[in-house]
Amino acid sequence: MLVLQKGRPEDESGRLPKEIRTYDFLDSIGVSYDRVDHATADTMEVCKEIDDALEATICKNLFLCNRQETDFYLLMMPGDKKFYTKDLSKALEVSRLSFAKAEYMEQYLDITPGSVSVMGLMNDKEKKVRLVIDKEVLEGDYIGCHPCINTSSLKLTMKDLLEKVIPELEHAYTVVELPRYAEEEA
C-alpha cells in the first residue's frame, strides 16, 4: 500500500538532481504538496494504485511536435480520455502533430519518456515548449504529476498550479476542449 507523505523526502539520498530541483522549486514558491513514492509507473495497475493514494486528477502528459520538429507542445489531459493527434491539431490550428522524439524531451524538459510532467517546464529555459491543457483537467480540485521522475508522484491544488506554479514557470498555457468518444462513455 502506498503512503501519502507531506512535502519533500526527509532522506534525499539516491534521488536524482532533477527530482530534488522540483522540490526546491515548489518549496521556493511556497506551494504545499503531498508525495507518494512508488514503483516505476509503467503499468495500469501501478497507476491505479497511485491514483487511489493521491485522490487527484491524474493526467496523461504527452510531448508533441510539428512535422518540422520546430514547435513543441506539452499536453495535459485526463488519463482516461483517448488521444488523437488530429483533434489537438485542429484545436491548435497546427497541421501534422506527432509525438516528439525522446531526445527533444531530454533537451528541453530534462525528463525521459514515462516521466513527462508539467514540472519539466522548469527546465525549459528557452521557452521552446508550449503548455496545452484539456479543459477537463481544470475541473478537478487537485492535480497529480511526477517530479520529473516516474518513481514518485505529487499532489498539488489546481489553484496552486494555475496561480503559482505555471506563472513562476513563465509558460502561458492554452486551454483546449478535446472530444470524448462514444466508446469512452460506455
Side-chain angles (χ1 to χ4, degrees):
M1 181 161 183
L2 299 178
V3 179
L4 197 60
Q5 301 171 57
K6 282 267 182 228
R8 70 189 308 135
E10 288 182 28
D11 180 8
E12 295 176 355
S13 59
R15 296 188 185 256
L16 295 176
K18 59 186 163 187
E19 179 182 1
I20 302 307
R21 280 195 315 268
T22 302
Y23 304 134
D24 291 344
F25 169 73
L26 292 171
D27 293 346
S28 75
I29 62 172
V31 171
S32 297
Y33 55 94
D34 292 330
R35 186 191 87 257
V36 64
D37 296 325
H38 48 75
T40 303
D42 58 1
T43 68
M44 288 311 295
E45 292 77 24
V46 174
C47 291
K48 173 74 172 107
E49 193 177 357
I50 296 165
D51 290 358
D52 292 345
L54 288 180
E55 296 179 341
T57 300
I58 306 299
C59 290
K60 187 183 302 184
N61 295 279
L62 305 175
F63 187 60
L64 306 151
C65 66
N66 63 353
R67 183 171 35 180
Q68 298 81 12
E69 299 180 341
T70 55
D71 297 322
F72 297 89
Y73 304 86
L74 173 60
L75 171 65
M76 297 172 66
M77 65 182 289
D80 65 344
K81 198 175 208 182
K82 285 198 182 291
F83 174 70
Y84 296 100
T85 55
K86 66 179 173 75
D87 295 331
L88 184 60
S89 292
K90 182 179 177 183
L92 296 176
E93 299 178 357
V94 175
S95 62
R96 305 284 308 240
L97 285 178
S98 62
F99 290 94
K101 295 175 184 167
E103 65 196 57
Y104 292 122
M105 192 182 302
E106 292 184 54
Q107 178 181 347
Y108 296 124
L109 303 177
D110 191 24
I111 51 181
T112 54
S115 302
V116 180
S117 165
V118 66
M119 292 301 154
L121 292 173
M122 70 182 183
N123 301 311
D124 181 23
K125 304 300 183 205
E126 299 174 38
K127 309 295 184 246
K128 294 288 279 181
V129 180
R130 180 174 167 189
L131 178 60
V132 181
I133 305 174
D134 184 284
K135 184 179 173 217
E136 284 185 45
V137 169
L138 301 174
E139 295 168 2
D141 294 329
Y142 296 94
I143 187 86
C145 64
H146 292 307
C148 298
I149 192 74
N150 68 355
T151 53
S152 288
S153 294
L154 306 177
K155 177 182 179 178
L156 313 169
T157 68
M158 186 62 69
K159 180 177 171 60
D160 279 348
L161 178 71
L162 298 176
E163 295 178 9
K164 293 181 179 178
V165 174
I166 293 174
E168 191 66 29
L169 293 170
E170 298 177 347
H171 276 72
Y173 63 94
T174 302
V175 177
V176 295
E177 193 166 351
L178 299 175
R180 279 203 179 264
Y181 291 90
E183 67 268 17
E184 293 177 89
E185 296 167 1

